[in-house]
Amino acid sequence: AKDYELRQYETAKWVSTVIRGETQKEALRQGFWKLFHYIQGKNEKEMKIDMTVPVTCLIKSGCTDFKISFFVPFEHQDSPPQPTDSDVFIEERKAAAIFVRSFGGFASPEKYTEEAEALARILRNRGQPFHEDFFYTAGYDSPFKLFNRHNEVWYFKK
């Protein structure tokens, strides 16, 4: 479809942290730095790990906990180094079919919500079953990239 795509993601490991009771913007900032320290060597092997994209943020309706995640690079998928920060953990996300809506520009929490609502509306109108109680935001660019930015919102197919 021109306004969204359906992607199949394989099972994969992500390094994540949950930030509680902050605004989405502040949670993303705090979570990013916790995960960035992990890839800079704050792990059991004191190993530097390449930064990957996207950076995702799990948004659950009516909840002020935000789970921020980095994709673990392919070469570390089998045995990612364990975090030494007790707030950081490795999680395995199961294979899933995900509805994705892409958009450009600098994405604010309001813009992510607006795009997620637009995607939900389209999916409902087309009779596509999806998990409506949560969505992910996905950012692909460094804050220093000014043009041709790529952002996404994800809903999991039922």
Side-chain angles (χ1 to χ4, degrees):
K2 68 179 184 343
D3 34 21
Y4 72 90
E5 60 184 297
L6 178 59
R7 291 186 196 148
Q8 183 63 44
Y9 281 93
E10 297 308 311
T11 298
K13 292 189 179 85
W14 295 69
V15 59
S16 301
T17 188
V18 175
I19 306 294
R20 292 180 172 82
E22 296 287 352
T23 63
Q24 183 182 337
K25 189 173 186 171
E26 180 59 19
L28 201 52
R29 190 190 69 74
Q30 286 182 24
F32 177 90
W33 285 110
K34 280 185 178 289
L35 299 174
F36 188 76
H37 292 310
Y38 166 81
I39 66 171
Q40 287 297 299
K42 197 172 179 184
N43 56 64
E44 282 182 347
K45 296 181 182 167
E46 296 183 354
M47 176 190 288
K48 279 195 182 227
I49 299 168
D50 289 339
M51 176 82 203
T52 58
V53 292
V55 175
T56 65
C57 180
L58 173 62
I59 313 282
K60 292 184 200 167
S61 51
C63 183
T64 57
D65 294 356
F66 298 96
K67 183 169 65 175
I68 318 301
S69 307
F70 288 2
F71 179 77
V72 172
F74 293 109
E75 63 268 24
H76 299 293
Q77 279 287 319
D78 290 339
S79 61
Q82 287 304 306
T84 53
D85 179 339
S86 60
D87 292 340
V88 176
F89 56 94
I90 304 294
E91 67 169 324
E92 184 170 270
R93 293 189 194 165
K94 300 288 176 222
I98 300 177
F99 294 108
V100 179
R101 181 173 170 88
S102 299
F103 60 98
F106 279 91
S108 63
E110 297 75 21
K111 181 68 173 160
Y112 276 126
T113 298
E114 184 184 304
E115 293 292 335
E117 286 169 354
L119 177 56
R121 203 165 40 249
I122 292 162
L123 296 174
R124 279 187 216 104
N125 289 343
R126 301 205 178 138
Q128 292 282 7
F130 66 101
H131 293 276
E132 298 193 37
D133 52 335
F134 70 93
F135 67 92
Y136 280 90
T137 67
Y140 287 81
D141 302 304
S142 120
F144 307 109
K145 182 173 181 182
L146 301 179
F147 302 104
N148 301 316
R149 297 179 62 80
H150 184 80
N151 314 289
E152 296 174 348
V153 288
W154 298 352
Y155 275 112
F156 282 56
K157 184 176 178 161
K158 273 190 175 166

